[in-house]
Each structure stands twice: as structure tokens, then as C-alpha cells.
PDB file of all heavy atoms in Angstrom:
ATOM      1  N   MET A 172     142.020  79.030 191.732  1.00  0.00           N
ATOM      2  CA  MET A 172     141.461  79.354 193.033  1.00  0.00           C
ATOM      3  C   MET A 172     140.211  80.198 192.829  1.00  0.00           C
ATOM      4  O   MET A 172     140.285  81.311 192.304  1.00  0.00           O
ATOM      5  CB  MET A 172     142.477  80.100 193.896  1.00  0.00           C
ATOM      6  CG  MET A 172     143.785  79.343 194.079  1.00  0.00           C
ATOM      7  SD  MET A 172     144.940  80.194 195.186  1.00  0.00           S
ATOM      8  CE  MET A 172     145.332  81.627 194.184  1.00  0.00           C
ATOM      9  N   ASN A 173     139.076  79.662 193.240  1.00  0.00           N
ATOM     10  CA  ASN A 173     137.801  80.352 193.138  1.00  0.00           C
ATOM     11  C   ASN A 173     137.239  80.631 194.521  1.00  0.00           C
ATOM     12  O   ASN A 173     137.608  79.992 195.500  1.00  0.00           O
ATOM     13  CB  ASN A 173     136.803  79.518 192.336  1.00  0.00           C
ATOM     14  CG  ASN A 173     137.242  79.261 190.918  1.00  0.00           C
ATOM     15  OD1 ASN A 173     137.870  80.104 190.283  1.00  0.00           O
ATOM     16  ND2 ASN A 173     136.894  78.079 190.394  1.00  0.00           N
ATOM     17  N   ASN A 174     136.313  81.585 194.571  1.00  0.00           N
ATOM     18  CA  ASN A 174     135.655  81.946 195.822  1.00  0.00           C
ATOM     19  C   ASN A 174     136.665  82.184 196.936  1.00  0.00           C
ATOM     20  O   ASN A 174     136.551  81.653 198.039  1.00  0.00           O
ATOM     21  CB  ASN A 174     134.649  80.865 196.223  1.00  0.00           C
ATOM     22  CG  ASN A 174     133.701  81.320 197.310  1.00  0.00           C
ATOM     23  OD1 ASN A 174     133.445  82.511 197.472  1.00  0.00           O
ATOM     24  ND2 ASN A 174     133.180  80.366 198.080  1.00  0.00           N
ATOM     25  N   LEU A 175     137.640  83.002 196.646  1.00  0.00           N
ATOM     26  CA  LEU A 175     138.693  83.275 197.612  1.00  0.00           C
ATOM     27  C   LEU A 175     138.165  84.061 198.800  1.00  0.00           C
ATOM     28  O   LEU A 175     137.243  84.873 198.671  1.00  0.00           O
ATOM     29  CB  LEU A 175     139.826  84.042 196.948  1.00  0.00           C
ATOM     30  CG  LEU A 175     140.690  83.213 195.993  1.00  0.00           C
ATOM     31  CD1 LEU A 175     141.458  84.113 195.039  1.00  0.00           C
ATOM     32  CD2 LEU A 175     141.652  82.338 196.796  1.00  0.00           C
ATOM     33  N   ASN A 176     138.750  83.817 199.950  1.00  0.00           N
ATOM     34  CA  ASN A 176     138.420  84.560 201.161  1.00  0.00           C
ATOM     35  C   ASN A 176     139.711  85.053 201.801  1.00  0.00           C
ATOM     36  O   ASN A 176     140.804  84.600 201.448  1.00  0.00           O
ATOM     37  CB  ASN A 176     137.593  83.700 202.127  1.00  0.00           C
ATOM     38  CG  ASN A 176     138.304  82.437 202.558  1.00  0.00           C
ATOM     39  OD1 ASN A 176     139.327  82.497 203.230  1.00  0.00           O
ATOM     40  ND2 ASN A 176     137.754  81.286 202.185  1.00  0.00           N
ATOM     41  N   PRO A 177     139.618  85.998 202.736  1.00  0.00           N
ATOM     42  CA  PRO A 177     140.849  86.549 203.316  1.00  0.00           C
ATOM     43  C   PRO A 177     141.751  85.510 203.973  1.00  0.00           C
ATOM     44  O   PRO A 177     142.962  85.727 204.055  1.00  0.00           O
ATOM     45  CB  PRO A 177     140.318  87.564 204.345  1.00  0.00           C
ATOM     46  CG  PRO A 177     139.015  88.002 203.786  1.00  0.00           C
ATOM     47  CD  PRO A 177     138.431  86.768 203.154  1.00  0.00           C
ATOM     48  N   GLU A 178     141.194  84.406 204.426  1.00  0.00           N
ATOM     49  CA  GLU A 178     142.001  83.351 205.035  1.00  0.00           C
ATOM     50  C   GLU A 178     142.906  82.653 204.026  1.00  0.00           C
ATOM     51  O   GLU A 178     143.812  81.919 204.425  1.00  0.00           O
ATOM     52  CB  GLU A 178     141.105  82.330 205.738  1.00  0.00           C
ATOM     53  CG  GLU A 178     140.447  82.837 207.017  1.00  0.00           C
ATOM     54  CD  GLU A 178     139.430  83.930 206.761  1.00  0.00           C
ATOM     55  OE1 GLU A 178     138.630  83.805 205.809  1.00  0.00           O
ATOM     56  OE2 GLU A 178     139.425  84.926 207.529  1.00  0.00           O
ATOM     57  N   ASP A 179     142.659  82.871 202.743  1.00  0.00           N
ATOM     58  CA  ASP A 179     143.525  82.317 201.714  1.00  0.00           C
ATOM     59  C   ASP A 179     144.761  83.175 201.472  1.00  0.00           C
ATOM     60  O   ASP A 179     145.639  82.779 200.692  1.00  0.00           O
ATOM     61  CB  ASP A 179     142.760  82.156 200.401  1.00  0.00           C
ATOM     62  CG  ASP A 179     141.620  81.154 200.498  1.00  0.00           C
ATOM     63  OD1 ASP A 179     141.847  80.048 201.047  1.00  0.00           O
ATOM     64  OD2 ASP A 179     140.509  81.472 200.029  1.00  0.00           O
ATOM     65  N   THR A 180     144.843  84.330 202.091  1.00  0.00           N
ATOM     66  CA  THR A 180     145.985  85.207 201.915  1.00  0.00           C
ATOM     67  C   THR A 180     147.251  84.532 202.424  1.00  0.00           C
ATOM     68  O   THR A 180     147.320  84.107 203.581  1.00  0.00           O
ATOM     69  CB  THR A 180     145.765  86.535 202.645  1.00  0.00           C
ATOM     70  OG1 THR A 180     144.671  87.237 202.041  1.00  0.00           O
ATOM     71  CG2 THR A 180     147.008  87.409 202.577  1.00  0.00           C
ATOM     72  N   ALA A 181     148.250  84.432 201.567  1.00  0.00           N
ATOM     73  CA  ALA A 181     149.494  83.756 201.910  1.00  0.00           C
ATOM     74  C   ALA A 181     150.451  83.876 200.741  1.00  0.00           C
ATOM     75  O   ALA A 181     150.077  84.306 199.648  1.00  0.00           O
ATOM     76  CB  ALA A 181     149.242  82.274 202.230  1.00  0.00           C
ATOM     77  N   VAL A 182     151.689  83.482 200.987  1.00  0.00           N
ATOM     78  CA  VAL A 182     152.625  83.241 199.907  1.00  0.00           C
ATOM     79  C   VAL A 182     152.432  81.803 199.451  1.00  0.00           C
ATOM     80  O   VAL A 182     152.482  80.875 200.262  1.00  0.00           O
ATOM     81  CB  VAL A 182     154.083  83.478 200.337  1.00  0.00           C
ATOM     82  CG1 VAL A 182     155.039  83.142 199.201  1.00  0.00           C
ATOM     83  CG2 VAL A 182     154.278  84.925 200.775  1.00  0.00           C
ATOM     84  N   TYR A 183     152.206  81.632 198.175  1.00  0.00           N
ATOM     85  CA  TYR A 183     151.960  80.310 197.607  1.00  0.00           C
ATOM     86  C   TYR A 183     153.210  79.811 196.902  1.00  0.00           C
ATOM     87  O   TYR A 183     153.848  80.537 196.137  1.00  0.00           O
ATOM     88  CB  TYR A 183     150.786  80.354 196.628  1.00  0.00           C
ATOM     89  CG  TYR A 183     149.448  80.398 197.309  1.00  0.00           C
ATOM     90  CD1 TYR A 183     149.041  81.528 198.004  1.00  0.00           C
ATOM     91  CD2 TYR A 183     148.582  79.297 197.279  1.00  0.00           C
ATOM     92  CE1 TYR A 183     147.819  81.568 198.655  1.00  0.00           C
ATOM     93  CE2 TYR A 183     147.359  79.334 197.914  1.00  0.00           C
ATOM     94  CZ  TYR A 183     146.979  80.466 198.601  1.00  0.00           C
ATOM     95  OH  TYR A 183     145.766  80.504 199.236  1.00  0.00           O
ATOM     96  N   TYR A 184     153.550  78.562 197.155  1.00  0.00           N
ATOM     97  CA  TYR A 184     154.729  77.932 196.584  1.00  0.00           C
ATOM     98  C   TYR A 184     154.335  76.678 195.822  1.00  0.00           C
ATOM     99  O   TYR A 184     153.517  75.890 196.299  1.00  0.00           O
ATOM    100  CB  TYR A 184     155.724  77.511 197.674  1.00  0.00           C
ATOM    101  CG  TYR A 184     156.245  78.624 198.540  1.00  0.00           C
ATOM    102  CD1 TYR A 184     155.576  78.999 199.697  1.00  0.00           C
ATOM    103  CD2 TYR A 184     157.419  79.281 198.211  1.00  0.00           C
ATOM    104  CE1 TYR A 184     156.053  80.012 200.504  1.00  0.00           C
ATOM    105  CE2 TYR A 184     157.911  80.291 199.012  1.00  0.00           C
ATOM    106  CZ  TYR A 184     157.224  80.655 200.156  1.00  0.00           C
ATOM    107  OH  TYR A 184     157.709  81.655 200.957  1.00  0.00           O
ATOM    108  N   CYS A 185     154.939  76.474 194.666  1.00  0.00           N
ATOM    109  CA  CYS A 185     154.874  75.163 194.047  1.00  0.00           C
ATOM    110  C   CYS A 185     156.131  74.398 194.412  1.00  0.00           C
ATOM    111  O   CYS A 185     157.184  74.981 194.682  1.00  0.00           O
ATOM    112  CB  CYS A 185     154.689  75.244 192.526  1.00  0.00           C
ATOM    113  SG  CYS A 185     156.015  76.054 191.611  1.00  0.00           S
ATOM    114  N   ALA A 186     156.019  73.098 194.449  1.00  0.00           N
ATOM    115  CA  ALA A 186     157.119  72.244 194.857  1.00  0.00           C
ATOM    116  C   ALA A 186     157.037  70.923 194.115  1.00  0.00           C
ATOM    117  O   ALA A 186     155.944  70.452 193.789  1.00  0.00           O
ATOM    118  CB  ALA A 186     157.080  72.000 196.371  1.00  0.00           C
ATOM    119  N   ALA A 187     158.191  70.331 193.860  1.00  0.00           N
ATOM    120  CA  ALA A 187     158.277  69.084 193.118  1.00  0.00           C
ATOM    121  C   ALA A 187     158.924  68.011 193.972  1.00  0.00           C
ATOM    122  O   ALA A 187     159.983  68.236 194.561  1.00  0.00           O
ATOM    123  CB  ALA A 187     159.074  69.279 191.826  1.00  0.00           C
ATOM    124  N   SER A 188     158.287  66.860 194.018  1.00  0.00           N
ATOM    125  CA  SER A 188     158.849  65.699 194.690  1.00  0.00           C
ATOM    126  C   SER A 188     159.247  64.653 193.669  1.00  0.00           C
ATOM    127  O   SER A 188     158.471  64.337 192.757  1.00  0.00           O
ATOM    128  CB  SER A 188     157.850  65.094 195.679  1.00  0.00           C
ATOM    129  OG  SER A 188     158.376  63.916 196.258  1.00  0.00           O
ATOM    130  N   GLN A 189     160.426  64.108 193.836  1.00  0.00           N
ATOM    131  CA  GLN A 189     160.933  63.057 192.976  1.00  0.00           C
ATOM    132  C   GLN A 189     160.750  61.670 193.583  1.00  0.00           C
ATOM    133  O   GLN A 189     161.269  60.691 193.042  1.00  0.00           O
ATOM    134  CB  GLN A 189     162.411  63.297 192.657  1.00  0.00           C
ATOM    135  CG  GLN A 189     162.670  64.592 191.903  1.00  0.00           C
ATOM    136  CD  GLN A 189     164.136  64.853 191.683  1.00  0.00           C
ATOM    137  OE1 GLN A 189     164.946  64.782 192.617  1.00  0.00           O
ATOM    138  NE2 GLN A 189     164.506  65.157 190.453  1.00  0.00           N
ATOM    139  N   ILE A 190     160.032  61.585 194.683  1.00  0.00           N
ATOM    140  CA  ILE A 190     159.807  60.306 195.342  1.00  0.00           C
ATOM    141  C   ILE A 190     158.685  59.578 194.620  1.00  0.00           C
ATOM    142  O   ILE A 190     157.508  59.927 194.761  1.00  0.00           O
ATOM    143  CB  ILE A 190     159.476  60.494 196.832  1.00  0.00           C
ATOM    144  CG1 ILE A 190     160.602  61.236 197.536  1.00  0.00           C
ATOM    145  CG2 ILE A 190     159.212  59.146 197.494  1.00  0.00           C
ATOM    146  CD1 ILE A 190     160.313  61.568 198.982  1.00  0.00           C
ATOM    147  N   TRP A 191     159.051  58.571 193.860  1.00  0.00           N
ATOM    148  CA  TRP A 191     158.065  57.833 193.092  1.00  0.00           C
ATOM    149  C   TRP A 191     157.129  57.079 194.022  1.00  0.00           C
ATOM    150  O   TRP A 191     157.578  56.360 194.921  1.00  0.00           O
ATOM    151  CB  TRP A 191     158.747  56.882 192.120  1.00  0.00           C
ATOM    152  CG  TRP A 191     157.847  56.447 191.018  1.00  0.00           C
ATOM    153  CD1 TRP A 191     157.217  55.256 190.895  1.00  0.00           C
ATOM    154  CD2 TRP A 191     157.472  57.227 189.874  1.00  0.00           C
ATOM    155  NE1 TRP A 191     156.469  55.230 189.747  1.00  0.00           N
ATOM    156  CE2 TRP A 191     156.608  56.429 189.097  1.00  0.00           C
ATOM    157  CE3 TRP A 191     157.793  58.506 189.440  1.00  0.00           C
ATOM    158  CZ2 TRP A 191     156.044  56.889 187.906  1.00  0.00           C
ATOM    159  CZ3 TRP A 191     157.228  58.967 188.253  1.00  0.00           C
ATOM    160  CH2 TRP A 191     156.373  58.157 187.507  1.00  0.00           C
ATOM    161  N   GLY A 192     155.844  57.237 193.805  1.00  0.00           N
ATOM    162  CA  GLY A 192     154.856  56.595 194.646  1.00  0.00           C
ATOM    163  C   GLY A 192     154.637  57.268 195.986  1.00  0.00           C
ATOM    164  O   GLY A 192     154.065  56.648 196.888  1.00  0.00           O
ATOM    165  N   LEU A 193     155.070  58.512 196.132  1.00  0.00           N
ATOM    166  CA  LEU A 193     154.890  59.252 197.374  1.00  0.00           C
ATOM    167  C   LEU A 193     153.446  59.192 197.852  1.00  0.00           C
ATOM    168  O   LEU A 193     152.507  59.434 197.085  1.00  0.00           O
ATOM    169  CB  LEU A 193     155.312  60.706 197.174  1.00  0.00           C
ATOM    170  CG  LEU A 193     155.154  61.645 198.354  1.00  0.00           C
ATOM    171  CD1 LEU A 193     156.159  61.294 199.447  1.00  0.00           C
ATOM    172  CD2 LEU A 193     155.329  63.096 197.911  1.00  0.00           C
ATOM    173  N   ARG A 194     153.261  58.861 199.130  1.00  0.00           N
ATOM    174  CA  ARG A 194     151.928  58.753 199.717  1.00  0.00           C
ATOM    175  C   ARG A 194     151.574  59.924 200.622  1.00  0.00           C
ATOM    176  O   ARG A 194     150.410  60.328 200.673  1.00  0.00           O
ATOM    177  CB  ARG A 194     151.800  57.437 200.496  1.00  0.00           C
ATOM    178  CG  ARG A 194     152.026  56.195 199.647  1.00  0.00           C
ATOM    179  CD  ARG A 194     151.877  54.921 200.473  1.00  0.00           C
ATOM    180  NE  ARG A 194     152.266  53.740 199.711  1.00  0.00           N
ATOM    181  CZ  ARG A 194     151.448  53.070 198.903  1.00  0.00           C
ATOM    182  NH1 ARG A 194     150.189  53.456 198.748  1.00  0.00           N
ATOM    183  NH2 ARG A 194     151.889  52.004 198.244  1.00  0.00           N
ATOM    184  N   THR A 195     152.562  60.456 201.324  1.00  0.00           N
ATOM    185  CA  THR A 195     152.323  61.561 202.243  1.00  0.00           C
ATOM    186  C   THR A 195     152.626  62.876 201.535  1.00  0.00           C
ATOM    187  O   THR A 195     153.661  63.516 201.763  1.00  0.00           O
ATOM    188  CB  THR A 195     153.170  61.407 203.513  1.00  0.00           C
ATOM    189  OG1 THR A 195     154.549  61.214 203.150  1.00  0.00           O
ATOM    190  CG2 THR A 195     152.701  60.220 204.325  1.00  0.00           C
ATOM    191  N   TRP A 196     151.697  63.291 200.708  1.00  0.00           N
ATOM    192  CA  TRP A 196     151.918  64.460 199.871  1.00  0.00           C
ATOM    193  C   TRP A 196     152.077  65.739 200.667  1.00  0.00           C
ATOM    194  O   TRP A 196     152.708  66.679 200.192  1.00  0.00           O
ATOM    195  CB  TRP A 196     150.750  64.639 198.903  1.00  0.00           C
ATOM    196  CG  TRP A 196     150.644  63.594 197.841  1.00  0.00           C
ATOM    197  CD1 TRP A 196     151.202  62.345 197.838  1.00  0.00           C
ATOM    198  CD2 TRP A 196     149.924  63.699 196.610  1.00  0.00           C
ATOM    199  NE1 TRP A 196     150.880  61.669 196.679  1.00  0.00           N
ATOM    200  CE2 TRP A 196     150.092  62.489 195.913  1.00  0.00           C
ATOM    201  CE3 TRP A 196     149.156  64.715 196.027  1.00  0.00           C
ATOM    202  CZ2 TRP A 196     149.512  62.258 194.663  1.00  0.00           C
ATOM    203  CZ3 TRP A 196     148.576  64.487 194.789  1.00  0.00           C
ATOM    204  CH2 TRP A 196     148.759  63.271 194.120  1.00  0.00           C
ATOM    205  N   GLY A 197     151.508  65.790 201.857  1.00  0.00           N
ATOM    206  CA  GLY A 197     151.473  67.022 202.614  1.00  0.00           C
ATOM    207  C   GLY A 197     152.720  67.337 203.408  1.00  0.00           C
ATOM    208  O   GLY A 197     152.771  68.393 204.046  1.00  0.00           O
ATOM    209  N   ASP A 198     153.715  66.495 203.370  1.00  0.00           N
ATOM    210  CA  ASP A 198     154.945  66.701 204.127  1.00  0.00           C
ATOM    211  C   ASP A 198     155.930  67.497 203.273  1.00  0.00           C
ATOM    212  O   ASP A 198     156.480  66.966 202.308  1.00  0.00           O
ATOM    213  CB  ASP A 198     155.543  65.358 204.519  1.00  0.00           C
ATOM    214  CG  ASP A 198     156.713  65.490 205.475  1.00  0.00           C
ATOM    215  OD1 ASP A 198     157.235  66.608 205.643  1.00  0.00           O
ATOM    216  OD2 ASP A 198     157.106  64.465 206.052  1.00  0.00           O
ATOM    217  N   PRO A 199     156.175  68.761 203.600  1.00  0.00           N
ATOM    218  CA  PRO A 199     157.078  69.556 202.762  1.00  0.00           C
ATOM    219  C   PRO A 199     158.507  69.042 202.752  1.00  0.00           C
ATOM    220  O   PRO A 199     159.259  69.364 201.822  1.00  0.00           O
ATOM    221  CB  PRO A 199     156.996  70.958 203.390  1.00  0.00           C
ATOM    222  CG  PRO A 199     156.558  70.714 204.796  1.00  0.00           C
ATOM    223  CD  PRO A 199     155.649  69.520 204.734  1.00  0.00           C
ATOM    224  N   ARG A 200     158.893  68.247 203.755  1.00  0.00           N
ATOM    225  CA  ARG A 200     160.240  67.697 203.786  1.00  0.00           C
ATOM    226  C   ARG A 200     160.494  66.709 202.667  1.00  0.00           C
ATOM    227  O   ARG A 200     161.652  66.386 202.383  1.00  0.00           O
ATOM    228  CB  ARG A 200     160.506  67.018 205.134  1.00  0.00           C
ATOM    229  CG  ARG A 200     160.393  67.939 206.335  1.00  0.00           C
ATOM    230  CD  ARG A 200     160.457  67.149 207.627  1.00  0.00           C
ATOM    231  NE  ARG A 200     159.346  66.197 207.722  1.00  0.00           N
ATOM    232  CZ  ARG A 200     159.197  65.333 208.721  1.00  0.00           C
ATOM    233  NH1 ARG A 200     160.078  65.299 209.712  1.00  0.00           N
ATOM    234  NH2 ARG A 200     158.156  64.512 208.735  1.00  0.00           N
ATOM    235  N   LEU A 201     159.444  66.232 202.023  1.00  0.00           N
ATOM    236  CA  LEU A 201     159.576  65.227 200.983  1.00  0.00           C
ATOM    237  C   LEU A 201     159.597  65.822 199.581  1.00  0.00           C
ATOM    238  O   LEU A 201     159.527  65.081 198.601  1.00  0.00           O
ATOM    239  CB  LEU A 201     158.448  64.204 201.106  1.00  0.00           C
ATOM    240  CG  LEU A 201     158.384  63.495 202.462  1.00  0.00           C
ATOM    241  CD1 LEU A 201     157.249  62.487 202.482  1.00  0.00           C
ATOM    242  CD2 LEU A 201     159.702  62.806 202.782  1.00  0.00           C
ATOM    243  N   TYR A 202     159.703  67.123 199.483  1.00  0.00           N
ATOM    244  CA  TYR A 202     159.790  67.798 198.196  1.00  0.00           C
ATOM    245  C   TYR A 202     161.209  68.283 197.963  1.00  0.00           C
ATOM    246  O   TYR A 202     161.846  68.834 198.863  1.00  0.00           O
ATOM    247  CB  TYR A 202     158.788  68.956 198.126  1.00  0.00           C
ATOM    248  CG  TYR A 202     157.371  68.463 198.019  1.00  0.00           C
ATOM    249  CD1 TYR A 202     156.687  67.999 199.136  1.00  0.00           C
ATOM    250  CD2 TYR A 202     156.717  68.432 196.787  1.00  0.00           C
ATOM    251  CE1 TYR A 202     155.396  67.513 199.029  1.00  0.00           C
ATOM    252  CE2 TYR A 202     155.432  67.960 196.682  1.00  0.00           C
ATOM    253  CZ  TYR A 202     154.772  67.499 197.800  1.00  0.00           C
ATOM    254  OH  TYR A 202     153.491  67.020 197.692  1.00  0.00           O
ATOM    255  N   ASP A 203     161.680  68.082 196.752  1.00  0.00           N
ATOM    256  CA  ASP A 203     163.074  68.320 196.424  1.00  0.00           C
ATOM    257  C   ASP A 203     163.349  69.720 195.896  1.00  0.00           C
ATOM    258  O   ASP A 203     164.453  70.243 196.074  1.00  0.00           O
ATOM    259  CB  ASP A 203     163.535  67.290 195.384  1.00  0.00           C
ATOM    260  CG  ASP A 203     163.327  65.862 195.840  1.00  0.00           C
ATOM    261  OD1 ASP A 203     164.118  65.390 196.668  1.00  0.00           O
ATOM    262  OD2 ASP A 203     162.364  65.216 195.364  1.00  0.00           O
TER     263      ASP A 203
END
């Protein structure tokens, strides 16, 4: 993360999806 601004303030999470070929990456419900 470069050129950070105050709007980037948050708790950051990594998540793993096991759905092979997943297209809708932004849906947190699809992460295991």
C-alpha cells in the first residue's frame, strides 16, 4: 500500500476462496 490517505484507515482482512474459477471476487460471502 503506497500513498496512503486517511480514508484507507480500516481493519484489513485477508481471505481465501476455494471456488475454482470464481468470477465475483468482491463478494465476501464467497470466501471460505
Side-chain angles (χ1 to χ4, degrees):
M172 304 183 292
N173 298 325
N174 194 25
L175 287 161
N176 59 65
E178 289 67 43
D179 296 313
T180 295
V182 177
Y183 283 70
Y184 300 89
C185 62
S188 176
Q189 298 176 310
I190 302 175
W191 199 257
L193 178 70
R194 301 180 188 274
T195 53
W196 291 19
D198 188 346
R200 300 171 298 177
L201 302 181
Y202 289 78
D203 304 283

